[in-house]
Structure formats: C-alpha cells, structure tokens
Amino acid sequence: MAVLGENRYGKAESRVVRIVRDTPRHEIVDLNVSSSLRGDFDAAHVSGDQAAVLPTDTQKNTAFAYAKLHGVSSPEDYALALASRLLEAAPAAAAAEVRVEQYAWDRLGQHAFARRGGDVRTCEVTVSRSGASVVSGLKDLVVLKSTGSEFKGFLVDEFTTLAETDDRILATSLVARWRHDTTDVDWNASFDDVREVLLSTFATTYSRALQETLYLMGSAVVDTMPGIAEISFSAPNKHHFLVDFSGFEVDGLTNDGEVFIAADRPYGLIECTVLRDAPA
Ligand SMILES: O=c1[nH]c(=O)c2[nH]c(=O)[nH]c2[nH]1
C-alpha cells in the first residue's frame, strides 16, 4: 500500500514588473515571484479531487494583482501580503510560502533604467601584416524605458494579432560592437564615452520601434566619436506584456500601464549596423 508523503504545489517564477507612474518620474520594481501551498491536499493526489486546490494559475494571477492592490514597498512586505492572501483563499492550506527575487535597476532618466551590475566589456583585435583592427564592445547591457515607446503602423496580414500601442515598455539586453579606424585611442575613455552615449540616447529619445532606437543610438556614436567608423547591435526585444486584470472580480482594479509580465521567450531579435557616412 502506497501512502502520500510531504507535498506542496504552487506557481514558480512569475516575472512581475510593477511601474509606479503617478508622476513623470517613474519607479520600477522587478520581481521573480514563486508561491506554494502545503496542507491537506491529499484528495487531489489520492482520489483526483481538486475541490480544495487553489489553482497555480490563480496563485500567479494573485501575485500580479497584489503588485497593484497591495503595492511593493519591499519584497518582504509584498510577500507577507501575498502569502496571507493565498492562505486565506485556500482553506485546506496549513501554510503559504512566497519566495521573491528582486532585480535592481539604476535610474537613467525620468522613465529609463539600466539593470544594475550587468554589462560586460568586450574587444576583438586582429593584427595582420597590413595593420591592426580593433572592435570594442559590450554585452548584457539591460535597459528599459517604462514609457516613451510605441509600436504601430506595421504591416498586417491574416496571421497578425498584435495590437498597435502608443505606450509600452521597451527593454533590451544590448550587445554592441564598434570598429575603430585608428589605434591611437584612449581605450578606456573611449569605452566610457560610447557607453554613456548609448545610455543617454536610449534614455532621452522617443521610440517608434526598437529598430529606430538602435539607429538613433548608433548615429549618436558615429556622429560624436570621430575614431569610430561603425557600430553593430544585436538587441533582443524583451517583451513586457500588460497583465489583463479585466477578468478579475475585484472592484476598481485597473491596470494603466502599471503591472507587466516579463516574458523571456520567444523574443524579437533586432540587429543593425550604423556606419559613418563616407566623406563626399
Ligand atoms: O520594436 C519593435 N520592432 C518590431 O519589429 C516588432 N515586432 C513586434 O511584434 N514588436 C515589435 N517591436
């Protein structure tokens, strides 16, 4: 005779992004939230009876709703509120556990941010009989605009379901590589300057597509840095989907660009090279 031992169940790794946008200076809270319930869930396992089971889908929905309803002043305060709610909503549970990871962002502007501590500096050098080529770069530079980004007017066919938007989150994990046309360069200062031009352009320009933003960033580099002949980008469009609260029976719960699910895949991958125009 088999007997059921310890068990628990829940939803792991909901990527909850909360934007506080009451003023033009937005705040971002970026969380990875996992919840689980343990208690008397024997019937679900032993006889297939789900009457006591608060679905993991509901646990996930509650995690997103609570990012708005309760807010996230700290991961601990939010986790306490969410766990208390889940315990209350599932009478068979003896305990609800909520685990939260919070990703830190540094401010670039009123509504632009860079993930803290992320990016890696790169270089690729070739020395041949005819000279040296130096390509400097960076990767894993994660940046996000919480407004000032639209995507509309695109080609539509019978498989298109994407809605046009005037206001979305734009985020990417940037890979950039730029070619110098000289080796007479203060490499460290040059790197810092390019990184700063990339970030400030991202933060201060309106985006009609990630394509346009990359072009603007690249143009700013080749226009202001005389020794740089071209720059290439590979930029995943890290999609943030507005969570649909309309199906929840909670009075007054709206989502006005405040709570997003950060999807990891699939992702758009936008790549381009921007070159300095040859002198006439
Ligand atoms: O900035 C974007 N560029 C695209 O080409 C694209 N395609 C898509 O579905 N969303 C977006 N966003």
Side-chain angles (χ1 to χ4, degrees), residues 88-110:
E88 186 190 318
E97 184 183 342
V98 172
R99 283 178 287 122
V100 178
E101 297 172 351
Q102 179 170 9
Y103 307 110
W105 291 81
D106 293 320
R107 181 175 292 284
L108 296 175
Q110 291 278 79

Side-chain angles (χ1 to χ4, degrees), residues 149-151 154 162 168 170 207-212 237 239 268 270:
S149 161
E150 66 177 40
F151 190 65
F154 44 79
L162 185 70
R168 65 173 186 172
L170 180 70
S207 174
R208 286 175 291 196
L210 182 51
Q211 286 90 329
E212 183 188 35
N237 191 353
H239 303 297
I270 314 299

Side-chain angles (χ1 to χ4, degrees), residues 6-14 32-41 45 52-63 78-90 92-100:
E6 283 192 7
N7 60 86
R8 60 180 176 168
Y9 79 101
K11 190 70 99 187
E13 304 207 51
S14 293
N32 189 19
V33 180
S34 300
S35 66
S36 68
L37 297 174
R38 63 180 168 78
D40 183 4
F41 297 106
H45 297 84
V53 170
L54 184 73
T56 68
D57 190 65
T58 309
Q59 296 182 38
K60 174 205 72 183
N61 288 348
T62 312
Y78 164 81
L80 280 166
L82 177 58
S84 303
R85 160 68 203 195
L86 295 175
L87 188 63
E88 186 190 318
E97 184 183 342
V98 172
R99 283 178 287 122
V100 178

